[in-house]
Amino acid sequence: LVAVLSLAACGAGADSTENSTGNPYGLIKPGQLRVASLGDAKPYTFTDANGGFTGFDVELFRDVAKRMGITDVVFTGQDFSAILPAVANGQFDAGVAAIGITDARRKTVDFSTGYLAGYLTVMTKKDSGIASADGLAGKRLGVVQGTLQEAYAVKNFPKAGLVRFPDNNAAVSALNRGSVDAHFLDYEAAKSYIAQFSLVSAADIPSFDAPAGFAIEKDNPALRAALDKALIEAMEDGTWKRLYEKWFPGSPMPEQYLPGGDHTGTP
Ligand SMILES: NC(=O)CC[C@H](NC[C@@]1(O)OC[C@@H](O)[C@@H](O)[C@@H]1O)C(=O)O
């Protein structure tokens, strides 16, 4: 009986010790960060020629993880609409994909502090006749399911025919083959597709009230505080600026994420 009791005690002791030191951020696998991301949102998050994930958001997250003492970071591509549910149900430790922080999204997940504020872009073909958002009336507009662009278009482009896609690749190939007249996506991703397929931008709409943040499960204050501390360090020591200039050369740089900036980022 004593042997059994002492084994049980040791077991309980081991569990509590592990939680207090082995897995302070409540990760699925201690010491590893499992991240849901996108493969086709270049240059935010995308898979390169070797199938590895890279881009501004990916490199910033890896830097932040390293500051937290974690170098084992595994990225998995998902449809955008699958990312937040998968983070909320504990399938991933974080969602990293230029995900705008909104109160609606905060109902199912928490977010780090914001790290990127930019524009939503209506992208179209040169000869489409769509020269502004007003030109979308009666046209077919592609959106990726679950994005801010979808919500914005439902509210502000009632005369456009929305066509919902699982990801940018599907929407852009539909645009190139003429199944939709325009696609509504993030500014830097649009810039990349515009260069690749000689498309044009018809409208750039500010989305500063919903800066991108790292999505994590609700009620994990230790992980959230660690991400925020590391993000602010990266902003303060110029890492954020270096990555921004690497991935978004020539784009206007939001002041709040620079050394000495107020790093507010969250609405
Ligand atoms: N990767 C995606 O397709 C995400 C699309 C969309 N991104 C919006 C956003 O977070 O993109 C980065 C910055 O420009 C933010 O200001 C913007 O709200 C969203 O959160 O729904």
Side-chain angles (χ1 to χ4, degrees):
L1 179 59
V2 170
V4 167
L5 284 178
S6 59
L7 268 178
C10 148
D15 285 355
S16 59
T17 313
E18 192 226 359
N19 282 339
S20 64
T21 54
N23 192 10
Y25 306 127
L27 302 178
I28 297 162
K29 181 179 172 217
Q32 179 184 76
L33 272 162
R34 294 187 187 179
V35 183
S37 189
L38 297 173
D40 64 352
K42 184 175 181 181
Y44 302 98
T45 60
F46 65 105
T47 45
D48 62 18
N50 319 319
F53 280 83
T54 187
F56 174 79
D57 296 49
V58 169
E59 290 199 341
L60 181 63
F61 188 81
R62 286 197 205 284
D63 174 80
V64 161
K66 197 159 164 234
R67 293 172 194 266
M68 292 163 58
I70 297 173
T71 52
D72 181 1
V73 183
V74 178
F75 284 84
T76 303
Q78 300 281 313
D79 286 352
F80 186 80
S81 58
I83 293 178
L84 296 186
V87 170
N89 73 20
Q91 221 179 317
F92 294 96
D93 298 305
V96 174
I99 308 169
I101 302 168
T102 66
D103 290 341
R105 288 172 171 171
R106 273 198 168 126
K107 289 194 175 68
T108 56
V109 293
D110 269 343
F111 285 94
S112 70
T113 187
Y115 61 81
L116 185 64
Y119 296 81
L120 315 180
T121 295
V122 175
M123 178 174 73
T124 186
K125 280 185 172 173
K126 286 194 171 78
D127 56 359
S128 71
I130 300 169
S132 70
D134 299 340
L136 288 170
K139 301 284 187 183
R140 294 158 302 173
L141 175 65
V143 292
V144 171
Q145 188 122 17
T147 61
L148 297 185
Q149 282 86 347
E150 180 187 19
Y152 186 95
V154 166
K155 186 160 170 267
N156 299 283
F157 305 146
K159 295 202 181 82
L162 293 193
V163 183
R164 290 167 173 81
F165 292 94
D167 55 40
N168 283 322
N169 278 333
V172 172
S173 58
L175 173 62
N176 284 332
R177 68 170 182 273
S179 310
V180 293
D181 302 303
H183 176 38
F184 194 19
L185 71 169
D186 285 343
Y187 173 84
E188 299 292 350
K191 235 167 104 174
S192 173
Y193 283 118
I194 282 166
Q196 192 180 358
F197 297 112
S198 309
L199 300 165
V200 293
S201 162
D204 293 328
I205 296 154
S207 186
F208 303 146
D209 60 340
F214 299 137
I216 59 172
E217 67 184 342
K218 289 200 78 64
D219 310 324
N220 186 339
L223 177 57
R224 184 173 168 184
L227 289 170
D228 286 354
K229 179 172 176 289
L231 264 172
I232 300 232
E233 283 170 11
M235 292 173 193
E236 276 303 309
D237 73 8
T239 298
W240 184 95
K241 184 171 186 281
R242 175 177 60 79
L243 290 174
Y244 190 96
E245 288 168 342
K246 172 181 177 182
W247 291 104
F248 309 133
S251 292
M253 204 181 292
E255 292 292 315
Q256 69 262 39
Y257 306 120
L258 296 176
D262 69 3
H263 310 320
T264 46
T266 41

